[in-house]
Amino acid sequence: MGYTLCVLGCGTMGVAITSGVLASLESQSPLHGLSSGLPKWESHTPGTSTPINVADDDPSLPSRFVACVKREESARLLREKFRTILGGDAIQVLVGQNVSAVQRSDVVLLCCKPQVTHPILSEDGIKEALAGKLLISIVTGVTIAQLSSWVLPSTTVVRAMPNVACRIREGMTVVSTLSPSNAEGLHKLILLQLFSSIGRCRFLDERQFDASTALSGCGPAFACIFLEAMADGGVMMGLPRAEALELAAQSLQGAARMALQPGSHPAQIKDSVATPGGCTIAGLLALEDGRVRSTIARAIQVATERAGELGQSAPK
């Protein structure tokens, strides 16, 4: 048997991660092994492992899921959403039973808002329920030092920052480096299996998390502003809205995939399209007139600063 994964807080990201992992398990093998199915379009970056040839009893793969929410209506919607994935009993949804949910689990994924992190981890019995377990926090701005001060020393605390594209298994997740321990090898494999199944996974030092949050966490929203603007330009020049959006989206997707190929660089792709005296270089100069580079870079800077502020209201 694999481990039981508990998801505390099933908002947008909690549901996206759970959906992505369940879809990965379901699509690649009827026995939820990750050894078959269609290959992904890209190879993972160094340090990231794609799960392959996984046995049914692999301890690094989740075999049961427990989700805990605050309202019965939320629980009903979740049960309907996950009913057909991996069978009717694949995920158990509890209402207002955080301690019970953690007690039934081996790995806990904390997906709540920064301001309610401390109240959740201060519930009677939660410390004891988390003892000896792996706690993965995707809470923005709340540090490992803060989280560790609210749990027992035997709890392994890790931060992870996925983005919304994990819903379609094209996410980018940054995971904090692990402290040396007897369980370090298994914990790293669990993290790789979990987050590589929904996209790319990269281990980075915690001090780089605010910038990672701004770049990959907020990045899809920034990219969609650019995408929408490209489509608007196509509509202005006579293209139907649906076709303009399709052309713009596929162009961005293709460019991103090319940039992720080994030895490739965005500047090379740009230069290969910008022929002398052509329409591309004319458009590029218009973008430079609008200071698009500095504006985008400043957006990352401001988002990074804001990410660092979000956890400051939590108790130290």
Side-chain angles (χ1 to χ4, degrees):
M1 286 290 289
Y3 66 87
T4 299
L5 176 66
C6 169
V7 183
L8 291 184
C10 286
T12 300
M13 285 308 305
V15 172
I17 294 170
T18 308
S19 299
V21 173
L22 287 170
S24 174
L25 295 175
E26 172 69 7
S27 67
Q28 301 204 30
S29 170
L31 296 176
H32 77 245
L34 301 184
S35 58
S36 59
L38 296 175
K40 290 175 68 65
W41 54 263
E42 42 83 2
S43 58
H44 286 275
T45 50
T48 297
S49 170
T50 302
I52 57 173
N53 298 325
V54 177
D56 242 5
D57 59 351
D58 192 308
S60 67
L61 269 184
S63 58
R64 293 184 63 250
F65 296 80
V66 180
C68 194
V69 295
K70 290 196 298 184
R71 294 181 294 274
E72 185 60 48
E73 176 63 15
S74 300
R76 183 185 66 80
L77 293 173
L78 278 180
R79 292 186 187 109
E80 290 179 358
K81 183 177 183 65
F82 297 128
R83 181 173 296 153
T84 59
I85 304 177
L86 291 182
D89 297 325
I91 182 165
Q92 183 179 17
V93 183
L94 304 178
V95 181
Q97 300 180 56
N98 289 337
V99 175
S100 178
V102 173
Q103 289 172 337
R104 303 179 194 195
S105 68
D106 306 296
V107 178
V108 177
L109 188 62
L110 186 62
C111 306
C112 62
K113 299 290 186 184
Q115 61 269 24
V116 299
T117 305
H118 184 253
I120 288 176
L121 295 181
S122 299
E123 290 184 31
D124 289 340
I126 201 86
K127 279 188 178 182
E128 292 73 18
L130 282 167
K133 297 178 180 178
L134 175 61
L135 174 63
I136 307 169
S137 169
I138 69 165
V139 181
T140 301
V142 180
T143 66
I144 291 177
Q146 288 174 286
L147 293 164
S148 297
S149 70
W150 303 331
V151 298
L152 296 175
S154 62
T155 302
T156 300
V157 178
V158 176
R159 287 183 67 188
M161 183 49 59
N163 67 12
V164 72
C166 64
R167 184 183 302 160
I168 60 167
R169 297 174 58 207
E170 293 292 356
M172 181 69 236
T173 303
V174 175
V175 183
S176 62
T177 51
L178 290 161
S179 300
S181 71
N182 293 334
E184 180 184 358
L186 176 59
H187 286 165
K188 185 171 185 179
L189 189 54
I190 286 173
L191 291 161
L192 284 172
Q193 297 278 28
L194 184 65
F195 293 113
S196 289
S197 72
I198 54 175
R200 285 175 171 251
C201 176
R202 170 71 70 175
F203 284 87
L204 288 175
D205 191 270
E206 188 188 16
R207 63 187 173 82
Q208 298 170 313
F209 258 59
D210 291 341
S212 299
T213 297
L215 191 53
S216 63
C218 306
F222 302 155
C224 282
I225 288 288
F226 194 81
L227 169 59
E228 190 175 25
M230 288 178 65
D232 285 346
V235 172
M236 181 178 70
M237 300 313 296
L239 289 174
R241 169 64 64 179
E243 283 74 7
L245 183 58
E246 180 184 15
L247 267 62
Q250 182 60 33
S251 296
L252 287 181
Q253 179 175 236
R257 291 181 174 182
M258 290 175 68
L260 286 171
Q261 296 302 307
S264 184
H265 190 279
Q268 294 175 320
I269 301 170
K270 171 183 67 68
D271 289 348
S272 70
V273 181
T275 55
C279 55
T280 301
I281 192 63
L284 287 170
L285 289 176
L287 289 173
E288 297 291 0
D289 289 342
R291 300 177 61 188
V292 67
R293 288 174 185 260
S294 61
T295 300
I296 294 172
R298 279 279 295 134
I300 301 299
Q301 179 187 3
V302 171
T304 299
E305 293 167 354
R306 179 57 182 155
E309 296 170 355
L310 290 177
Q312 293 181 6
S313 59
K316 303 295 182 183

